[in-house]
């Protein structure tokens, strides 16, 4: 079974490589790692072999690796940044991440994290390198030419930090011993913009797709879960064994867990002697795994994750695309909820759906999260809320209300920065969170307002199909959306993503001429939009009007609803007047955007009643 899955994933990687014929390329990696963990000292030694394919047209004279755990040391960039955020007060509270605060500066030598590289060779030749805190810079003795593959061999050792952020050990809340994310030297991403050696100061991640073979040797009492498929399940047991098989566990103090994964860009694992392991096979042959440690509570709330995930998956597949792997694991650990390929760490069960949806928008459609955090967090939040509404049998029209409210509060706060801001460069954590999660979610719902909900849903599925196992940027999504909708959308990117300009349309005045009602609309904001206008008459009839924006160079479909189309509203014009055959006495209510999908920051002036 595992061989067949590897073959399928290898075919997917071949597809990635062949895509370069159409002008797109991406680097490819294959990691083979052997890890020996000492659970008494919380340290491990590691050997890493990395095969690296330079599929770019460029000659590489140096390479970079991430050494994430070096951030968990007093005086690090993460430490300094977090303490700096604590000096900013928003709503009377410090702006820092409550999980980090100033805790790093108080870590003892036994509690800090580190990743130390002893040696690195390329094709058997020792290489010179520099450790620049969380970045390893390798000066190559020979350049890597376009189209060439090289092999790096590295010896390293690490100390697992006390749980501070995402990864670490001995979190008192979850009582999980090891949350092993960002735990190995990971080569940085290289794309059409060059290298991305982003220092770890607290936010998002980006890395090349490839294969992982990870052998983890650890005390035999520990139960593991994470990325990848367990190759030696019948020698390990603990719920991984084949049904009916007799587990033949070696009579040694340690066990070696052998994991493989393909078409992934990272590898996470967690370990604890007291994990409860449950599994459930759902449609598409997917095995859902739960490794939970209820920390004094019953496991029932955790076990509901599997039941809810089984129920939600058909809707998720139909709306957003199929989950492409044959396994996903929900694991107690970390410090909140954090996504990794094929698995998530959860401090509590409530975030399971959000974290699983990251498999679509970070695990599989792997944008550069540092540059485009909203294309992951925002789209994930959008999909989560839409699916929650479906699970609850509620209207999807109201599903994004919380995201709209959060965005509007941000827009009014004075703290907003453009979505195009690098994740680490937001001045406040508040602005980062509200923008990336809420404004990013509004982007997708509002796209449905602009091009029509049905076309937006076609875009969602096409985005999944065309950019699966690749690294799209915002330009790629906008271009795809334009091709499907036939509407120009560069203006939407410019105003919504690259600026903080806001939408504010209003009904300015209403009067009657020659027995016909006239309505003058006014644009009080700096971001232009197309306008849906509803005129409700006595007898509860509704007359729909549509005013396209000139920059769209097209109209959205009617979605089967009768409406009156008008000439374009030029974005430079402050007002626009429409005429209807209705008399003023016939009118009960006039409303701009009655579906509330346009993120108008002053919605109270969108309605006029009579």
């Amino acid at each position: 079974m595992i061989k067949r899955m590897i073959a399928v994933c290898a075919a997917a990687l071949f597809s990635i490589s062949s895509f370069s014929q159409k002008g797109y390329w991406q680097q490819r990696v294959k990691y083979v790692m052997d890890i020996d963990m000492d659970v008494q000292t919380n340290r491990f030694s590691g050997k890493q072999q990395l095969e690296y394919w330079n599929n770019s047209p460029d000659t590489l004279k140096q390479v970079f690796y991430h050494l994430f755990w070096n951030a968990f040391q007093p005086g690090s960039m993460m430490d300094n940044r977090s303490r700096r955020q604590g000096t900013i007060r928003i709503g009377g509270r410090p702006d820092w991440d409550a999980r980090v605060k100033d805790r790093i500066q108080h870590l003892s030598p036994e509690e800090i994290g580190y990743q130390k590289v002893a040696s690195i060779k390329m094709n058997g030749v020792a290489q010179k390198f520099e450790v620049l805190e969380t970045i390893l810079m390798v000066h190559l003795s020979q350049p890597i030419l376009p189209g060439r593959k090289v092999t790096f061999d590295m010896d390293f050792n690490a100390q697992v930090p006390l749980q501070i952020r995402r990864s670490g050990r001995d979190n008192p809340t979850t009582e999980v011993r090891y949350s092993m994310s960002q735990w190995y030297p990971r080569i940085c991403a290289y794309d059409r913009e060059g290298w991305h050696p982003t220092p770890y100061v607290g936010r998002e991640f980006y890395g090349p797709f490839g294969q992982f073979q990870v052998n983890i040797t650890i005390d035999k009492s520990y139960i593991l879960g994470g990325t990848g498929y367990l190759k030696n399940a019948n020698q390990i047991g603990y719920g991984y064994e084949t049904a009916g098989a007799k587990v033949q566990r070696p009579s040694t103090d340690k066990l070696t867990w052998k994991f493989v994964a393909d078409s992934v860009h990272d590898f996470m694992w967690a370990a604890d002697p007291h994990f409860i392991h449950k599994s459930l096979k759902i449609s598409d042959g997917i095995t859902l795994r739960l490794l939970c440690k209820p920390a004094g509570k019953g496991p029932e709330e955790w076990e509901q994750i599997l039941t809810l995930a089984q129920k939600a998956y058909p809707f998720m597949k139909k709306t957003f695309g199929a989950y492409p792997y044959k396994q996903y694991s929900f694991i107690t650990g970390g410090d909140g909820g954090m996504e990794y390929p094929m698995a998530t760490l959860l401090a509590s069960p409530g975030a399971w759906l959000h974290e699983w949806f990251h498999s679509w928008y970070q695990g599989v459609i792997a944008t550069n999260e540092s540059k485009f955090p909203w294309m992951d967090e925002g789209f994930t939040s959008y999909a989560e809320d839409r699916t929650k509404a479906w699970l609850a049998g509620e209207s999807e029209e109201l599903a994004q209300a919380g995201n709209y409210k959060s965005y509007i509060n941000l827009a009014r706060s004075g703290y907003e920065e453009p979505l195009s801001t690098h994740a680490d460069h937001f001045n406040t954590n508040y602005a980062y969170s509200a923008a990336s999660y809420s404004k990013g979610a509004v982007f997708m719902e509002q796209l449905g307002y602009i091009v029509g909900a049905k076309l937006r849903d076609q875009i969602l599925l096409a985005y999944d199909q065309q950019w699966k196992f690749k690294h799209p940027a915002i330009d790629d999504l906008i271009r795809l959306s334009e091709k499907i909708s036939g509407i120009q959308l560069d203006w939407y990117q410019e105003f919504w993503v690259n600026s903080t300009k806001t939408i504010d349309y209003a009904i300015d005045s209403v009067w009657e001429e020659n027995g016909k009602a006239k309505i003058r609309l006014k644009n009080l904001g700096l971001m232009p939009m197309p306008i849906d206008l509803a005129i409700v008459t006595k007898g509860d009839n509704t007359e729909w009007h549509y005013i396209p924006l000139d920059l769209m160079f097209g109209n959205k479909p009617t979605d089967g609803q009768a409406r009156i189309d008008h000439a374009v509203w030029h974005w430079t014009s402050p007002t626009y007047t429409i005429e209807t055959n209705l008399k003023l006495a016939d009118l009960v209510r006039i409303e701009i955007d009655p579906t509330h999908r346009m993120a108008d920051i002053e919605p109270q002036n969108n309605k006029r009643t009579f």
Side-chain angles (χ1 to χ4, degrees):
M1 181 65 177
I2 289 175
K3 289 182 178 179
R4 185 175 67 83
M5 289 186 289
I6 293 173
V8 170
C9 293
L13 277 174
F14 176 79
S15 175
I16 290 172
S17 300
S18 64
F19 195 75
S20 62
Q21 297 172 2
K22 299 179 182 179
Y24 176 85
W25 57 267
Q26 64 187 60
Q27 310 294 64
R28 180 184 167 192
V29 297
K30 179 182 178 182
Y31 289 90
V32 178
M33 289 186 280
D34 291 282
I35 308 301
D36 192 348
M37 169 68 86
D38 186 332
V39 298
Q40 303 302 318
T41 63
N42 303 305
R43 297 172 184 170
F44 65 85
S45 59
K47 290 185 177 295
Q48 180 190 102
Q49 182 181 88
L50 171 64
E51 295 180 28
Y52 186 83
W53 283 261
N54 180 16
N55 294 326
S56 80
D58 306 324
T59 297
L60 306 181
K61 298 181 180 180
Q62 56 195 8
V63 299
F64 298 86
Y65 287 76
H66 293 284
L67 302 175
F68 292 112
W69 282 358
N70 291 351
F72 302 110
Q73 299 176 16
S76 70
M77 294 177 69
M78 181 184 285
D79 180 26
N80 290 334
R81 177 70 173 176
S82 182
R83 284 189 280 148
R84 183 261 185 189
Q85 296 310 114
T87 66
I88 301 172
R89 303 191 76 82
I90 298 177
R93 294 178 294 182
D95 182 57
W96 55 22
D97 187 322
R99 293 164 293 195
V100 181
K101 295 184 178 180
D102 61 350
R103 294 175 58 210
I104 295 176
Q105 69 172 331
H106 301 297
L107 293 176
S108 70
E110 292 74 29
E111 295 171 335
I112 67 169
Y114 62 70
Q115 290 157 331
K116 296 181 179 180
V117 175
S119 65
I120 183 169
K121 297 179 180 179
M122 182 179 72
N123 296 336
V125 178
Q127 305 295 297
K128 295 181 180 179
F129 59 87
E130 298 177 67
V131 176
L132 306 172
E133 195 176 283
T134 59
I135 298 295
L136 178 75
M137 183 177 182
V138 183
H139 304 279
L140 301 179
S141 58
Q142 295 290 330
I144 308 173
L145 300 178
R148 297 293 180 86
K149 183 195 82 169
V150 297
T151 300
F152 293 102
D153 289 287
M154 178 188 295
D155 289 333
F156 70 100
N157 59 82
Q159 178 170 285
V160 186
L162 198 68
Q163 180 79 50
I164 296 289
R165 186 69 182 98
R166 295 186 173 124
S167 55
R169 63 177 177 86
D170 300 321
N171 185 336
T173 301
T174 64
E175 300 180 5
V176 169
R177 279 242 64 203
Y178 295 116
S179 297
M180 302 292 285
S181 55
Q182 296 99 251
W183 58 275
Y184 61 96
R186 179 188 182 193
I187 198 160
C188 299
Y190 185 89
D191 61 18
R192 58 193 175 188
E193 296 179 341
W195 285 106
H196 294 273
T198 305
Y200 188 28
V201 299
R203 292 251 160 82
E204 311 300 347
F205 307 100
Y206 183 37
F209 281 101
Q211 297 171 284
F212 285 78
Q213 296 179 17
V214 182
N215 303 320
I216 301 165
T217 301
I218 192 170
D219 185 280
K220 65 181 180 181
S221 66
Y222 278 71
I223 303 169
L224 276 59
T227 303
Y229 308 100
L230 185 60
K231 288 177 63 178
N232 59 336
N234 290 342
Q235 286 73 50
I236 296 294
Y238 291 124
Y240 286 96
E241 66 270 18
T242 306
K246 182 179 179 181
V247 176
Q248 297 180 331
R249 193 174 293 148
S251 57
T252 54
D253 292 336
K254 289 185 174 183
L255 293 178
T256 298
W257 298 62
K258 299 180 179 181
F259 292 98
V260 295
D262 209 338
S263 298
V264 297
H265 52 71
D266 201 359
F267 190 101
M268 177 274 289
W269 57 283
D272 192 274
H274 304 293
F275 271 147
I276 298 171
H277 181 194
K278 304 283 186 178
S279 64
L280 177 67
K281 182 164 283 191
I282 64 172
S283 57
D284 290 350
I286 298 167
T287 297
L288 298 178
R289 297 190 183 277
L290 172 68
L291 291 100
C292 66
K293 189 173 183 182
K297 302 177 183 178
E300 294 81 8
E301 189 177 358
W302 284 93
E303 291 181 16
Q304 286 181 0
I305 292 175
L306 298 181
T307 304
L308 290 170
Q310 181 182 36
K311 181 180 178 181
Y313 179 67
F315 175 82
M316 298 164 72
K317 176 182 177 181
K318 177 183 177 182
T319 311
F320 305 101
Y323 178 73
Y325 307 108
K326 294 301 178 184
Q327 179 177 292
Y328 189 83
S329 298
F330 301 95
I331 306 171
T332 304
D335 58 1
M338 185 59 198
E339 70 280 359
Y340 297 95
M342 301 177 66
T344 182
L345 292 171
L346 296 168
S348 62
W352 71 270
L353 183 57
H354 182 90
E355 301 308 325
W356 192 17
F357 259 124
H358 274 299
S359 291
W360 278 255
Y361 297 112
Q362 194 268 342
V364 175
I365 302 174
T367 57
N368 180 350
E369 255 192 308
S370 295
K371 287 191 65 179
F372 310 107
W374 63 277
M375 292 181 70
D376 171 38
E377 296 293 356
F379 296 176
T380 292
S381 296
Y382 166 82
E384 173 197 12
D385 291 341
R386 191 169 169 183
T387 304
K388 279 183 176 178
W390 180 85
L391 283 170
E394 298 172 350
S395 170
E396 290 186 28
E397 291 183 3
L398 303 176
Q400 307 301 324
N403 289 315
Y404 277 77
K405 181 179 179 181
S406 175
Y407 158 68
I408 290 172
N409 287 340
L410 172 66
R412 293 171 173 172
S413 71
Y415 291 103
E416 185 183 9
E417 299 176 60
L419 283 180
S420 55
T421 305
H422 189 286
D424 288 329
H425 301 167
F426 279 86
N427 186 49
T428 65
N429 286 323
Y430 165 65
Y432 161 78
S433 297
S436 298
Y437 289 77
S438 298
K439 190 176 182 181
V442 172
F443 171 95
M444 191 58 73
E445 180 68 6
Q446 192 168 244
L447 179 63
Y449 171 79
I450 295 168
V451 306
K454 290 182 180 178
L455 285 177
R456 188 269 322 282
D457 286 355
Q458 290 180 30
I459 290 166
L460 284 169
L461 288 173
Y463 185 47
D464 177 75
Q465 287 301 310
Q466 294 188 26
W467 289 101
K468 186 176 294 183
F469 303 122
K470 303 181 183 76
H471 306 285
I474 178 56
D475 293 343
D476 300 306
L477 175 59
I478 291 293
R479 190 71 189 101
L480 174 65
S481 301
E482 289 177 337
K483 289 179 179 178
I484 290 175
S485 68
I487 291 173
Q488 290 297 118
L489 293 166
D490 55 337
W491 63 273
Y492 187 40
Q493 176 181 352
E494 181 59 33
F495 283 99
W496 191 255
V497 177
N498 297 339
S499 84
T500 57
K501 294 180 171 68
T502 55
I503 303 164
D504 182 13
Y505 282 87
I507 297 172
D508 181 64
S509 55
V510 183
W511 70 97
E512 185 177 305
E513 285 185 13
N514 301 320
K516 296 182 179 182
K518 288 194 172 185
I519 305 164
R520 182 162 60 219
L521 309 178
K522 193 168 186 178
N523 184 4
L524 301 173
L526 293 177
M527 177 173 172
M529 287 288 282
I531 297 298
D532 288 345
L533 183 76
I535 303 176
V536 180
T537 66
K538 293 175 180 177
D540 202 27
N541 295 316
T542 301
E543 183 177 273
W544 290 91
H545 294 258
Y546 174 66
I547 309 170
L549 177 66
D550 63 325
L551 298 174
M552 294 165 58
F553 294 94
N555 295 4
K556 72 174 174 181
T558 63
D559 288 336
Q561 179 177 267
R563 74 183 187 199
I564 299 171
D565 287 5
H566 296 269
V568 299
W569 186 340
H570 293 283
W571 72 274
T572 54
S573 299
T575 62
Y576 189 101
T577 301
I578 70 168
E579 181 180 273
T580 173
N581 290 325
L582 298 168
K583 296 180 183 298
L584 198 60
D586 297 329
L587 308 187
V588 173
R589 185 176 72 255
I590 302 171
E591 186 171 2
I592 297 171
D593 178 35
T595 60
H596 309 296
R597 292 180 293 164
M598 186 170 69
D600 193 312
I601 64 165
E602 299 293 345
Q604 70 276 1
N605 58 21
N606 288 8
K607 185 187 296 186
R608 180 77 61 89
T609 58
F610 300 87

